[in-house]
Amino acid sequence: MIEISHVDKWYSSAFQVLKDCTTSVAKGEVVVVCGPSGSGKSTLIKCVNALEPFQKGDITVDGTKVNDPKTNLPKLRARVGMVFQHFELFPHLKIIDNLCLAQEKVLGRGHDKSVTKAMMLLDRVGLKEHAQKFPAQLSGGQQQRVAIARALAMDPIAMLFDEPTSALDPEMISEVLDVMVDLAREGMTMMVVTHEMGFARKVANRVIFMDRGEIVEDAPKDDFFGKPRSDRAQKFLSKILSH
Amino acid sequence: MNYNWNWGIFFQPNPMGTGTYLDLLLSGLALTLETAVLAWIIALVTGSIVGVMRTLPSKGAYWFGFAYVEFFRNMPLLVQLFLWFFVLPEILPRAAGLWLKQLPNAPFWTASIGVGLFMSARVAVQLQAGIGSLPRGQKQAATALGLTTVQGYRYVLLPMAFRIILPPLTSEFLNTIKNTAVAITIGLLELTGQARSMQEFSFQVFEAFTAATILYLLVNAVVVTGMRILERYVAIPGYITGK
């Protein structure tokens, strides 16, 4: 579904954020990307839907080459859902309109159909009764669930999560993770940047560990948590799992 | 000071045969309002376009916006009006220059366009700041949903940016009204112009300019109140700067 091969990215000629990154996410697979901050994990998943440009290598999503200038990027992005660390709901739109905007303007879906779809998804994330509220009237966890519903409203073929729980209070993390676990169990293709190792243990098929722009480890979940091959991954795991 | 106060002057007929001196001032007020409204429309429309251009990734658009703003805001308004009114017709090809000079209501059009362009540079800078103050993730979220750049601005960025810059825009609208007084120098008989002619006909200089002052204050009070109501109308429930 997502093929990343030999991707290099420089912010300036001196600073390389991604170094020869190669990995893939198969249909229905859940891949967790972890690593210390500044390791390039967010940058890598933002390259997948071309939110960030990269200079070398190729990324293909469902057979479409992301870095081909001829690719219709808005069309491609509409098929890949993305959830951000800071939710990024549109503050001037009601929850229901946040979910309907792209359905109507990008997919050309009729208003009634969009509303039906939106209400179904809001019900699914447990926020149906908040449809007429504005984002600022919801808690962080609720906003992030709305953001997931907004991405799902586009009927995506894959979902990208960029640290979806990092900006949340601890008590709100589980309500967001629950939604993500359900999604994973339903067979959604997911690439998730997160430090939530519990989530990785529960639903991930593979775990990718990044450090300084490189993919240091790319292993099936059990191998990764059992015996990480690299020192750096071992150190990282011992630090975040010791509490 | 040897001065004969005569507040009754307003109800005496003016020598133009167009009613009383008050009518003279009110006709000036009407012209001030017409000029200001047209100038404000020009300032908002062109200022918004240029302001957006200054936030686009395209280098060309940015440099055009930069040059436009620096040209219009770094020259005194008075000089700009002289340029459009006296210099432009001379440097155009003869036929075009002649057409310009013979245009009916030339001072009105020159003042509206001149003040409008002058103010548009200021609107552009404020809109740029408003867009710049939005979290970077907002644009990314819009893009990730498949919205095109135009749709992203239209439905996501501009509705928030304009809400944020409403208070400073109120000041710019007031400045637009006050700046139309400069048009007296190209022969536009707006409020200040009519106060001057009242002074010349009647020698009641204090009464004339007291009345003009009060009329300016009243108009601006109406604008301020109107903008307050607008601010409250577009405020977003729960959103902090929307209060």
Side-chain angles (χ1 to χ4, degrees):
Chain A
M1 179 71 68
I2 301 171
E3 302 286 339
I4 300 172
S5 80
H6 305 290
V7 168
D8 286 292
K9 177 178 169 66
W10 287 265
Y11 272 134
S12 61
S13 56
F15 184 59
Q16 190 171 3
V17 269
L18 295 178
K19 291 175 197 156
D20 196 29
C21 293
T22 300
T23 188
S24 66
V25 183
K27 192 170 187 315
E29 204 177 19
V30 177
V31 172
V32 162
V33 184
C34 62
S37 50
S39 59
K41 46 197 195 309
S42 289
T43 309
L44 181 67
I45 77 161
K46 281 181 180 165
C47 285
V48 172
N49 61 353
L51 281 187
E52 292 273 0
F54 51 94
Q55 284 79 29
K56 263 170 115 179
D58 287 308
I59 295 181
T60 320
V61 176
D62 195 31
T64 310
K65 209 163 141 196
V66 172
N67 50 312
D68 186 340
K70 281 185 289 240
T71 298
N72 181 343
L73 281 177
K75 207 173 162 190
L76 175 75
R77 288 176 180 131
R79 303 176 66 208
V80 180
M82 181 145 200
V83 175
F84 295 85
Q85 183 176 359
H86 295 287
F87 333 132
E88 306 301 350
L89 296 180
F90 305 137
H92 61 295
L93 298 178
K94 287 178 182 167
I95 300 304
I96 184 77
D97 297 326
N98 261 279
L99 268 74
C100 287
L101 177 68
Q103 290 189 68
E104 290 171 25
K105 304 299 174 195
V106 178
L107 302 181
R109 225 175 245 164
H111 182 67
D112 293 344
K113 254 184 155 178
S114 304
V115 170
T116 312
K117 176 104 193 164
M119 288 311 287
M120 188 195 84
L121 286 162
L122 283 177
D123 191 27
R124 178 179 168 170
V125 299
L127 294 168
K128 204 174 171 185
E129 66 275 21
H130 297 284
Q132 297 303 321
K133 289 190 180 168
F134 285 87
Q137 295 171 310
L138 267 54
S139 73
Q142 291 172 328
Q143 289 191 49
Q144 193 62 300
R145 278 144 68 199
V146 171
I148 296 173
R150 180 176 70 179
L152 291 176
M154 304 295 284
D155 297 318
I157 53 168
M159 290 278 287
L160 307 171
F161 292 83
D162 183 15
E163 305 206 30
T165 57
S166 300
L168 294 175
D169 290 338
E171 65 206 282
M172 293 171 184
I173 290 177
S174 66
E175 66 186 59
V176 171
L177 288 180
D178 286 346
V179 172
M180 291 169 61
V181 167
D182 284 348
L183 208 54
R185 295 206 166 131
E186 280 166 29
M188 175 60 80
T189 308
M190 291 164 70
M191 194 168 174
V192 185
V193 173
T194 186
H195 294 131
E196 297 295 333
M197 289 302 127
F199 171 81
R201 279 223 166 104
K202 217 186 237 172
V203 294
N205 298 102
R206 280 187 9 255
V207 180
I208 292 172
F209 175 76
M210 288 184 74
D211 190 23
R212 289 178 221 167
E214 280 175 283
I215 294 181
V216 179
E217 188 119 3
D218 183 350
K221 167 182 64 177
D222 294 331
D223 291 0
F224 183 79
F225 287 114
K227 42 170 177 33
R229 278 159 294 177
S230 64
D231 280 357
R232 278 186 280 178
Q234 272 175 22
K235 265 190 200 150
F236 178 77
L237 273 183
S238 70
K239 273 183 194 154
I240 65 167
L241 292 179
S242 64
H243 295 287
Chain B
M1 188 173 68
N2 203 357
Y3 185 76
N4 284 321
W5 290 91
N6 177 14
W7 292 102
I9 183 77
F10 296 114
F11 304 103
Q12 291 167 18
N14 69 52
M16 321 284 289
T18 55
T20 62
Y21 276 109
L22 184 64
D23 293 329
L24 195 71
L25 288 180
L26 289 179
S27 76
L29 177 66
L31 200 50
T32 288
L33 292 178
E34 286 168 26
T35 314
V37 167
L38 182 56
W40 184 235
I41 292 170
I42 293 170
L44 267 186
V45 173
T46 50
S48 300
I49 294 168
V50 174
V52 165
M53 286 178 86
R54 278 167 68 106
T55 65
L56 291 175
S58 148
K59 278 259 173 352
Y62 176 82
W63 282 108
F64 174 84
F66 176 81
Y68 180 96
V69 165
E70 298 310 327
F71 179 81
F72 283 107
R73 77 171 170 182
N74 289 343
M75 218 191 313
L77 176 57
L78 186 63
V79 174
Q80 291 192 29
L81 284 193
F82 282 6
L83 267 183
W84 303 138
F85 195 70
F86 299 118
V87 181
L88 186 67
E90 303 300 332
I91 56 175
L92 283 177
R94 233 183 84 80
L98 208 63
W99 175 80
L100 258 187
K101 283 187 211 170
Q102 289 167 346
L103 211 60
N105 296 331
F108 169 73
W109 296 111
T110 311
S112 301
I113 297 170
V115 173
L117 293 179
F118 177 76
M119 296 307 295
S120 73
R122 304 178 56 96
V123 171
V125 171
Q126 290 186 350
L127 186 61
Q128 178 194 13
I131 295 170
S133 74
L134 299 173
R136 227 167 69 94
Q138 287 283 300
K139 191 176 187 177
Q140 290 190 339
T143 310
L145 281 167
L147 294 170
T148 59
T149 304
V150 174
Q151 287 175 324
Y153 274 90
R154 161 74 182 78
Y155 298 112
V156 176
L157 300 179
L158 290 180
M160 281 310 293
F162 273 116
R163 279 179 171 87
I164 290 169
I165 63 167
L166 253 188
L169 274 189
T170 304
S171 306
E172 296 306 340
F173 191 9
L174 299 180
N175 281 337
T176 306
I177 296 168
K178 292 179 285 179
N179 279 342
T180 57
V182 175
I184 189 179
T185 56
I186 54 170
L188 186 69
L189 284 174
E190 39 66 71
L191 182 51
T192 307
Q194 294 293 24
R196 262 273 298 271
S197 47
M198 176 173 167
Q199 169 218 330
E200 276 162 10
F201 291 132
S202 68
F203 303 107
Q204 303 299 136
V205 55
F206 289 107
E207 290 85 343
F209 279 95
T210 304
T213 305
I214 291 171
L215 287 174
Y216 276 117
L217 283 176
L218 280 177
V219 168
N220 286 349
V222 169
V223 170
V224 169
T225 313
M227 292 294 276
R228 281 273 156 74
I229 294 170
L230 180 65
E231 273 172 46
R232 224 167 296 152
Y233 178 73
V234 300
I236 298 160
Y239 194 77
I240 299 155
T241 61
K243 264 186 199 164

